[in-house]
Every structure is written in structure tokens, then in C-alpha cells.
Amino acid sequence: MRLNLGPSHPATHGTLRVFVELDGEIIRNMKLEIGYLHRCFEKMSETHTWNQVIPYTDRLNYVSAMMNNVGYVMAVEKLLGIEVPKRTQRIRVIMCELSRIIDHLVAIGTNAVDVGALTCFWYFFRERENIYDLFEAVCGARLTTSFTRVGGLYKDLPEGWTQWCRKVLANLPRSLDDVEGLLTTNRIWIDRTRGVAPISKQDALDYGFTGPCLRACGVGYDVRKAHPYYDYDKFDWSLITEEEGDTYARYLVRLGEMRESMKIVEQALDDLPDGPVNVDDWSIALPPKDQVYGSIEGLMAHFKLIMHGIKPPAGEVYSYTEAANGELGFFVVSDGTGRPFRVRVRPPCFAIYQAFPQMCQGQTISDAIAALGSLNIVAGELDR
Amino acid sequence: MKRSKYRLPLSQRIYLIAILKGMGITARHFFTNLLRPGRMPNVGYPEKRRNYSPRFRGLQILTVKPNGEIRCTACMLCATACPADCIHITAAEHPNPEVEKFPKEFNIDMLRCVFCGMCEEACPVDAIRMGTRYELANFERNQFIYTKDDLMRAGNYTQSRVTRP
Ligand code: SF4
Ligand code: SF4
């Protein structure tokens, strides 16, 4: 029998079309069709200034928008050859790790829903709401954050935010423990996930896997460890790896990574220096508002920057960060004008999704649903 | 298809223990919610509303001077900075020569706006701010074009703009 899964099916978490050839319940063959959520991100970037691209990056992996913001501005900053202040780096690390937690919460929560365990979803979404409240207090939006700017941030942290963040973090283990208690040793969950859609170490590497899905196969590769940025090497945290490469291993890796991310956030909060968040260069970051309102130099720099945009030197740069799903790379090309000549995104999902048919061969259709949830394919990032 | 290459410990092979453990966790939540309903994360919208922070990026506000005139000088910076191209300004000469320029029309197309806050960031005279109003549903497309008067009033909104067809 031939069956269409999607494009709009609740289990696809987005718009993916999977065309499966079934023999009874067993999947014999599978064909993927992507592009339903294609929004021309890369082409759109070319008609906007460097800073105007940031709201578009929110919509790549919309589950963890902060990480796309950071990944993109890091690439532009590399092109400009500037380093942002320590405080900004720390704040970006905090935001990234909080986003990673959210992303993993959603990945595990929805994966559990797909196999019929709704409760975990509620326990996780309570924590997710709390973290979204934190985001909203910082940048004014919950989902589409647009928090970073080239050379700095949209705004500094508000008063009392760090204590609030600690409080939210202190509540998080409670939900993690609850869900761990509900799932990790639960025979039903184990039956539905163990040995489901496994991928071998070699295949995962060949397909270009990164992130939790790769670490679930026993490869200890993480951009934060292998090519540290923003002082990730100075924090005390460990890599979580599992050997089996199946859905259950991916679940365990994600669960463990949330606890590691919490550790990183706590250390970054402890070690948060004072100072400005923007670089002191008015051709890159906007002048402070009192300078704009009160001095002619500030006003001129402000006008110039908004009208003409940042002008990085001509050249090209590839910059990559560890997003929740794996290596998120931005390849940016500048021709010296105020707009990008080309922006290319390397979405982690794309490589992972390619392997989906192979992983599901010979498994049942219900296993494919469980596997799809555990790969955490985010269509916004896949199709761009 | 081979599945169970893992050998589970006995406690896990018996469904009952895991089920009872899980029931324990859900029961704990059930009773804490029952005894302390105030701590449940639900918000009873629309009777109750979530409190957003002052930084919340909602419907834009056009600020006014103490004499009630619009503060905007029609410099077009917000329209330039807007990534969604949704601000449409028509500038005109102000009758008062001291003021020089002002926007005759100032429309924001809320169907295009992504609430990124770049207009607020770009304004050199603090004439546009992101307000905290977020319920912007309406019945017809043209009602989403917010005019200068709507946005100047947005600072002290009380009544809903929604008009039933
Ligand atoms: S919030 Fe963003 S999209 Fe909306 S009007 Fe302002 S700049 Fe344009
Ligand atoms: S940037 Fe401010 S002053 Fe200039 S047109 Fe926009 S609202 Fe008016």
C-alpha cells in the first residue's frame, strides 16, 4: 500500500511530506518531499541590510530562535573582524543555552505525545513558558526574539533578571525528574523507542549528522567542545553521548544535555561582567540614545547607520555554532555594500532528515512517527 | 525485525511497577493542583490576562508633544529600518515654520508588521514606541492598516477597534 504522511499531519510538526510504501505495517520504501515551508530566506537576505536579516533568522528554527540570532550575527562579526564585549558574550551564551533547553523540552515533549504520552508534554511546557517569560522580559517577544544585533544586543538585561533566571532554573530539575520518572524506565516508552530507527556511527557521519542525533550514536562531537566560541571551553560541563543511535538514545542525550545546559547557564550567570553590551564603534552598533537625542555626532552616526547599514569589507566567511539540533552554519558573502551579497545557511536538520528513509526501512509505520519526533525536524529550518 | 536485544531488569519488564510509579507522579501533580489552584500555570484567558513586561513589543504608539501634536518629524528612518516594509509615511510641510515637517499620513500595515522593534530603535526623536497591546484581531483586511490617529491613540487604548461586520 502507498501512503501519504503529511504534508499537514500533526505528527510531522510542520509541513513535511513523506510518501511511504507499506507492506502491511512494515515500511518498505520511503520518499521525502521538502519545500512546503520554503520562504526564500536566503534570497530575502540579499535585499535587506545586515541587521534587517535578524528578524528573518528568528523564523529558521522557530523553536529556539535565539540561537539563530546568535549564529547569524557571529558570522557577520567574524566578517567585520570584531569581538563583542565579554558581557554580551555571556548573555548570548545564557540565551543560547536557555534556547537549547526549550528546544529539547519541545523535542522530547512532542516525541512523547506522538507515541501517546501527553502528560510529559504538559510538565515540560510549564517550564518552557517560564523560560519564554524570561525571554519576553529581555527582548519583548516570546518566540520571534530578534534579540541580537551585529556588534551587540538589542537591549541589556533588565533589573533583577539574573535572580529571576536562577529561580526558573531551580524549578527546572523538578520537571526533568518528573518526566524522567515517567519515561526512562517505563516499559511502554522503552518498547516504543528502543531499537527504533537506529543509525550506525559510520552512517551518521556519512550523512553529515551533527548535534544530539550524532552524539546518540556514540560520536562525541560538539562544536562547543571541538571549536569553542564564547568561552565555552572555560565552563565546566560534559558531553553526553550514548551508543545505540536509536530513538531511546536520542531521548537520553537530550535529557542529559538539558542538565548540562543548566550548568552552563548557572556558571555564566555567576561570571557576568558589567559594562556596555554594544561595541564602541558607531559604524557598527547604534549610538546610545542620549547621544542620538543630545549630540549632533550621535545623530549623524545614527542616520548614517540606519540609512546605509553596516558595511563589512568584501569577503566571505563561514561561521558555525552548535544549535539545538546540531551544527548551524552561516556562510556570508559581502561585496562591501550595506547588504549581504549572499547568505547561505547550513541547517542541521537537512542532513539529518536525509537519513530518515534509511532509518525507517523495515520498521513499522508507528515507529516512523516516533523516530520523526526524535530527530526533531523543524520545517522552518529545513526549508528556510 | 529484532527488537529486544536489550535485557531489561525485572522491575522494568513488569509493566505494573512502572505504571504505579508514573501514577504516583501524576497523582502528586493532581493533588498539588487541587490544593493550590493558584499555582497552576494556566491563564484563564480572556477573563484573566498574562502580565507582560514593559519591553513587550506590541502595537506601535506614536507619541505626542505636550501640546498634543505628533512628535514625529517624518524623517523616514523607521520606514527605512523596517525589514517588512510596512510603514508608509507621507510627509508635508507643517503650518508652523518652527516645526517644518510632519507626517500628513502615517500608516502601518499590521498584516505585514513582524513586531521586531526596529522602528522604535531607529527613531531619533522617540516618536514611535512599541506598545503593549497585542489583541489585534479584526474582520477585514483594510482594518489592519493603522492610521496616524489610531497609533496616536494607541497610547491610551481602552476600547477595542474591532467592529463587527
Ligand atoms: S515593528 Fe518591525 S516590522 Fe513592525 S513596523 Fe516596526 S520595524 Fe516594521
Ligand atoms: S523615525 Fe521617528 S521621527 Fe522619523 S519618521 Fe519614523 S516615527 Fe517619525
Side-chain angles (χ1 to χ4, degrees), chain A residues 302-303, chain B residues 61-62 70-79 87 89 103 106 119-120 122-129:
Chain A
H302 184 85
F303 259 86
Chain B
I61 299 169
L62 286 179
I70 192 164
R71 195 178 278 275
C72 172
T73 58
C75 71
M76 306 283 177
L77 276 195
C78 54
I87 305 181
I89 304 171
F106 195 115
C119 46
E120 179 191 48
C123 184
V125 292
D126 193 18
I128 188 165
R129 286 191 200 159

Side-chain angles (χ1 to χ4, degrees), chain A residues 252-263:
Chain A
L252 288 180
V253 167
R254 287 216 168 83
L255 207 57
E257 273 185 16
M258 283 196 266
R259 294 185 198 273
E260 295 304 318
S261 288
M262 278 169 55
K263 275 194 216 161

Side-chain angles (χ1 to χ4, degrees), chain A residues 48 51-52 123 129 133 136 138-140 144-145 149 156 178 185 187 191 244 246 289 293 302 367, chain B residues 3 6 8 12-13 15 21 28-29 50 52-53 55 57 80-81 83 118 120-124 126:
Chain A
H48 288 73
N51 264 330
Q52 279 178 338
Y123 294 170
E129 280 302 300
D133 283 348
E136 190 258 318
V138 174
C139 65
T144 49
T145 50
R149 292 287 180 275
D156 200 350
D178 279 353
T185 55
R187 170 88 194 269
D191 280 354
E244 285 80 23
D246 57 7
K289 280 286 180 198
Y293 301 153
H302 184 85
D367 289 345
Chain B
R3 244 303 153 84
Y6 310 92
L8 296 174
Q12 286 176 29
R13 257 183 294 149
Y15 281 89
K21 237 176 73 193
R28 204 187 70 230
H29 278 271
R50 182 187 273 282
Y52 286 111
S53 76
R55 288 192 182 179
R57 302 198 302 244
T80 311
M118 288 197 168
E120 179 191 48
E121 210 178 33
C123 184
D126 193 18

Side-chain angles (χ1 to χ4, degrees), chain A residues 2 28 51 58 60 106 120 186-187 245 247 278 284 353:
Chain A
R2 295 202 173 135
R28 286 281 162 247
N51 264 330
D58 290 342
L60 291 174
V106 176
C120 312
N186 180 340
R187 170 88 194 269
T247 302
N278 285 338
I284 294 169
Y353 195 44

Side-chain angles (χ1 to χ4, degrees), chain B residues 60 78 81-87 108 112-120 128 130:
Chain B
Q60 290 85 349
C78 54
C82 176
D85 286 337
C86 63
I87 305 181
I108 301 186
R112 288 191 65 103
C113 177
V114 294
F115 301 98
C116 62
M118 288 197 168
C119 46
E120 179 191 48
I128 188 165
M130 300 305 284

Side-chain angles (χ1 to χ4, degrees), chain A residues 19-191:
Chain A
F19 190 57
V20 278
E21 205 180 292
L22 292 174
D23 176 8
E25 243 193 303
I26 310 293
I27 296 171
R28 286 281 162 247
N29 232 326
M30 186 184 261
K31 249 198 172 131
L32 307 175
E33 197 175 318
I34 64 168
Y36 286 93
L37 215 59
H38 179 63
R39 290 141 309 157
C40 273
F41 167 77
E42 292 173 0
K43 195 70 194 163
M44 286 292 250
S45 308
E46 294 166 20
T47 58
H48 288 73
T49 63
W50 292 93
N51 264 330
Q52 279 178 338
V53 176
I54 293 166
Y56 284 94
T57 61
D58 290 342
R59 287 138 180 97
L60 291 174
N61 182 345
Y62 37 75
V63 188
S64 48
M66 287 275 191
M67 285 206 255
N68 309 324
N69 295 163
V70 172
Y72 169 72
V73 293
M74 256 181 77
V76 183
E77 282 156 9
K78 194 167 166 189
L79 192 62
L80 283 160
I82 54 168
E83 188 163 324
V84 290
K86 251 301 172 279
R87 181 176 175 80
T88 310
Q89 296 189 5
R90 286 284 189 281
I91 295 176
R92 285 184 185 175
V93 166
I94 294 170
M95 294 303 164
C96 280
E97 294 310 314
L98 288 176
S99 304
R100 191 183 314 278
I101 293 173
I102 295 186
D103 200 292
H104 288 350
L105 288 176
V106 176
I108 295 179
T110 50
N111 195 5
V113 171
D114 290 346
V115 301
L118 190 63
T119 322
C120 312
F121 186 73
W122 301 133
Y123 294 170
F124 270 175
F125 266 52
R126 181 179 54 192
E127 304 306 330
R128 180 172 178 258
E129 280 302 300
N130 291 340
I131 298 180
Y132 269 156
D133 283 348
L134 283 174
F135 283 0
E136 190 258 318
V138 174
C139 65
R142 292 150 54 80
L143 196 73
T144 49
T145 50
S146 309
F147 180 53
T148 57
R149 292 287 180 275
V150 177
L153 299 171
Y154 171 55
K155 278 178 182 159
D156 200 350
L157 300 178
E159 197 85 12
W161 191 86
T162 47
Q163 288 93 312
W164 182 10
C165 182
R166 277 179 214 275
K167 231 191 272 166
V168 169
L169 281 185
N171 280 337
L172 193 59
R174 180 191 59 183
S175 293
L176 294 183
D177 290 342
D178 279 353
V179 170
E180 211 172 346
L182 285 176
L183 293 182
T184 305
T185 55
N186 180 340
R187 170 88 194 269
I188 306 170
W189 173 252
I190 291 172
D191 280 354

